[in-house]
Amino acid sequence: MSSGTLQVLEPATEAVLQEIPRADASDVDRAVEHAAAAFPAWRAVSPSDRAAQLRAISDIVREHRDELAQLEARNAGKPIGDARGEMDMVAQVFAYYSGSPERLLGDTIPVSGGHAFTVREPLGVVGLIVPWNFPLTIAAWKMGPALAAGNTIVLKPAELTPLTALRFAELAREAGLPEGVLNVVAGPGSVCGARLVEHPGVAKIAFTGSTEVGRSIAAGAAQTIKRVTLELGGKSPNIVFADADLAAAAAAAPGAVFGNAGQDCCARSRILVQRAAMDEFMGELEAAVTAIRVGDPLSEDTEMGPLISAGQRETVGSFVDNGAPVAFRGSAPDGPGFWFAPTVLCPVDPGARAAREEIFGPVAVVIPFDSEKEAIRLANDTIYGLSGSIWSGDGGRALRVARALDAGVLSINSNTSVRVATPFGGFKQSGYGRELGPHALDAYTEVKSIFFATGV
Ligand code: NAD
C-alpha cells in the first residue's frame, strides 16, 4: 500500500502542482512482481514487433510533446523551449532504439568440433533510478535500450519530479506497450530506490544521480551481484586558449554552465582561460552573463528558470556567501520561486571549494593558466571526469588536449555533450557504463556463448 502523499511543487512559484500517492517498499515489491510476470512474453516478442512498439512510443511522445513539455517545465522549473527540446529528444531516443531489436548481432567464432556463436540475452527486470534535473529525458536514455533488448522495467523517478514519468507510462500503454513491461514507483530514494537496489528479483540498476548516492548503490548492489551502471556528478572544464575565437567561446560559455540553471551534470563550471586572453574573455563573458533572461519558465523568451528547491538554493548559495570573489552576476526575479542569479567567481584558487565541488547551480569559476601542460593538469585535477570543452584555433593542440583529458564526453569549439547516437558517460568518480548510442545496449544485455557440436 502507498503510504501518504507526495506534494509535487512548482519551483517558479513554490505552489503545489499536484499531490500524488507516495510509493513505499511494498509498492516496489509489487512493481517488481509485475515486471517479472511480464518479462517472458516481452522477451519473446519478435524483433520486428518490438521495433514497431518502440516506434509507436516515439510517435505518441511526439503527439503529446507540448503537454509533456508543459508538465516538465512547470515541475522542474526549466524554460519551456528547453523542455520542448527535451521531449523531442525523448521521441528520438525511442526512434533510435527501435532500430536495435533487429540489430542485436552476435559473433560466430571458429572452434574445432562444431560451431560456436554468441547471442545477446536480456537481463530480466531492470531498476532505473533517475534524478530531477532532466526527469523524462534521462529516464528515456535508459528505457529505450532496456526495452529494445527485451527487458522489463521498474522506473523510480526523483521525488521532486515524478509527473512526466507517470504520464509517459500512461502514454506508453496507450501506444500498446503490454501491461507490466513498464512500472513507475514514485517515492523516496531512501525507501523505494534502496528497495530496488536490494531486491533479489532485480537484475540490474541503472542509476543517474549524485556520486554520494552512486557509491551506496554500488555497495548495495554488490550483495546480489547486480549489474550496475552509474552516471554521476561532474566538475567539467571549459578550456579557452588564447588562439581560440574568443567571442564565440565567451558567447557560448554561459549556456554551458547556466543552462538548466546550472543543474546539469555536464555543466562546464570550471572555465580555464589562457592568461593572455583573460581580459578580453572576461569582458565578453560579463556582457553575455548579464544578458541572460532569468524568469518564468513558461515565458517563451526565458533562458534560465529557478533552482529546483529551497534546499538546492541554500546549497548553491553557500558557494557564494562569506566573501566569495564575485566578479559579476546576472539578474533574477524577486518574490516566490527558488531564484538564483547567474554568478561568476574570479579569481578562484584551484584548491578552493567552489573550484573542486559540484555546485549544481548557476555559479561558474574562472581560473587562468599559462601553458597547454598546465591547462591539462588543472582540468584533470578533480575526482570527476564527465565532460569538457576545448576552444582553440589550433586543431592539433585541440586534439592533443582532448586525448589527454580524463573525461568521457568532450567537445572542441563547442559545448555540446549529448547526442542520441553517441555514447555518454564518465571516467573516474563520474561513474561507469555508457548510455546512448550503440554502446548502451551492452549495459542491458548479457552475452551468451553457445557451442553446437557437429561431430568429427
Ligand atoms: P540524488 O543522487 O540525490 O538522487 C538521484 C535518484 O536517486 C533519485 O531518484 C533519488 O530518489 C534516488 N535515491 C536517493 N537516495 C537513494 C538511495 N539511498 N538508494 C537508491 N536511490 C536513491 O541526485 P539528484 O539530487 O536527484 O541529482 C543531482 C545529481 O545527479 C548531481 O550530482 C548530478 O551531477 C547528477 N547527474 C548526473 C548525470 C549524468 O548523466 N552523469 C545526469 C544528471 C544528473
Side-chain angles (χ1 to χ4, degrees):
M1 276 294 289
S2 302
S3 48
T5 55
L6 267 184
Q7 281 201 334
V8 182
L9 298 187
E10 190 166 4
T13 61
E14 302 182 34
V16 176
L17 181 57
Q18 269 188 44
E19 270 190 44
I20 60 167
R22 171 190 298 171
D24 63 17
S26 68
D27 295 303
V28 173
D29 290 352
R30 226 180 340 273
V32 173
E33 243 173 70
H34 287 157
F39 176 59
W42 177 244
R43 76 180 299 186
V45 170
S46 76
S48 59
D49 286 351
R50 214 156 55 226
Q53 179 63 76
L54 267 75
R55 282 195 294 277
I57 293 175
S58 176
D59 291 345
I60 205 163
V61 169
R62 274 191 211 289
E63 284 157 28
H64 290 262
R65 171 199 196 227
D66 288 342
E67 174 203 340
L68 288 165
Q70 179 94 3
L71 199 54
E72 199 82 301
R74 293 187 69 183
N75 188 186
K78 60 180 72 225
I80 185 71
D82 293 0
R84 287 192 199 108
E86 288 176 28
M87 295 313 125
D88 290 342
M89 186 183 213
V90 171
Q92 282 165 19
V93 167
F94 285 94
Y96 178 84
Y97 286 106
S98 75
S100 301
E102 295 168 293
R103 293 173 180 79
L104 277 175
L105 306 178
D107 300 309
T108 55
I109 301 170
V111 292
S112 55
H115 289 280
F117 62 98
T118 63
V119 288
R120 290 198 192 211
E121 304 287 14
L123 303 174
V125 178
V126 296
L128 314 181
I129 303 176
V130 298
W132 42 257
N133 56 343
F134 297 99
L136 189 58
T137 315
I138 289 177
W141 297 359
K142 301 178 192 320
M143 291 190 287
L147 291 175
N151 301 282
T152 55
I153 293 174
V154 179
L155 167 65
K156 199 210 83 61
E159 303 87 300
L160 295 173
T161 55
L163 301 182
T164 46
L166 291 164
R167 180 68 184 126
F168 173 88
E170 290 172 359
L171 292 172
R173 281 285 290 141
E174 226 175 274
L177 192 69
E179 172 87 48
V181 172
L182 168 62
N183 308 270
V184 180
V185 282
S190 56
V191 177
C192 295
R195 179 64 187 143
L196 263 181
V197 171
E198 73 186 12
H199 199 298
V202 175
K204 178 221 165 83
I205 296 288
F207 172 77
T208 298
S210 59
T211 294
E212 191 187 346
V213 174
R215 263 185 219 115
S216 79
I217 286 181
Q223 297 307 310
T224 46
I225 316 291
K226 275 186 183 54
R227 279 71 186 128
V228 180
T229 42
L230 299 174
E231 299 288 351
L232 308 175
K235 188 74 186 173
S236 297
N238 183 359
I239 308 174
V240 182
F241 285 95
D243 62 11
D245 177 343
L246 292 180
V257 56
F258 302 135
N260 213 42
Q263 303 164 122
D264 183 339
C265 52
C266 291
R268 272 69 165 164
S269 55
R270 288 186 301 147
I271 307 177
L272 310 181
V273 183
Q274 198 160 24
R275 208 175 300 273
M278 206 50 188
D279 289 347
E280 185 182 343
F281 180 84
M282 287 301 272
E284 304 252 10
L285 184 65
E286 180 167 7
V289 169
T290 49
I292 297 173
R293 291 186 295 270
V294 182
D296 178 5
L298 298 182
S299 166
E300 290 294 338
D301 59 3
T302 290
E303 294 172 310
M304 191 184 118
L307 292 169
I308 190 71
S309 64
Q312 191 66 13
R313 184 170 56 183
E314 200 177 317
T315 310
V316 174
S318 74
F319 288 90
V320 176
D321 300 341
N322 307 322
V326 174
F328 42 84
R329 304 189 80 173
S331 60
D334 295 322
F338 307 121
W339 304 103
F340 200 96
T343 303
V344 174
L345 305 181
C346 182
V348 177
D349 184 88
R353 183 172 160 248
R356 303 203 73 78
E357 293 181 19
E358 182 179 44
I359 299 176
F360 225 56
V363 179
V365 302
V366 180
I367 299 171
F369 67 88
D370 288 303
S371 64
E372 182 179 319
K373 201 167 155 207
E374 189 186 6
I376 293 167
R377 183 183 60 72
L378 285 169
N380 283 338
D381 182 19
T382 166
I383 62 166
Y384 298 112
L386 187 55
S387 62
S389 303
I390 301 134
W391 292 79
S392 172
D394 176 343
R397 159 181 277 167
L399 276 178
R400 271 195 311 274
V401 175
R403 292 301 304 270
L405 295 188
D406 303 327
V409 192
L410 293 169
S411 41
I412 295 171
N413 296 332
S414 156
N415 294 318
T416 55
S417 299
V418 178
R419 288 181 176 74
V420 173
T422 57
F424 177 81
F427 281 27
K428 301 196 284 187
Q429 293 191 37
S430 288
Y432 44 71
R434 290 294 177 272
E435 303 202 293
L436 298 172
H439 301 72
L441 292 158
D442 295 343
Y444 293 96
T445 51
E446 292 279 19
V447 174
K448 184 184 280 174
S449 170
I450 301 175
F451 172 70
F452 194 143
T454 51
V456 279

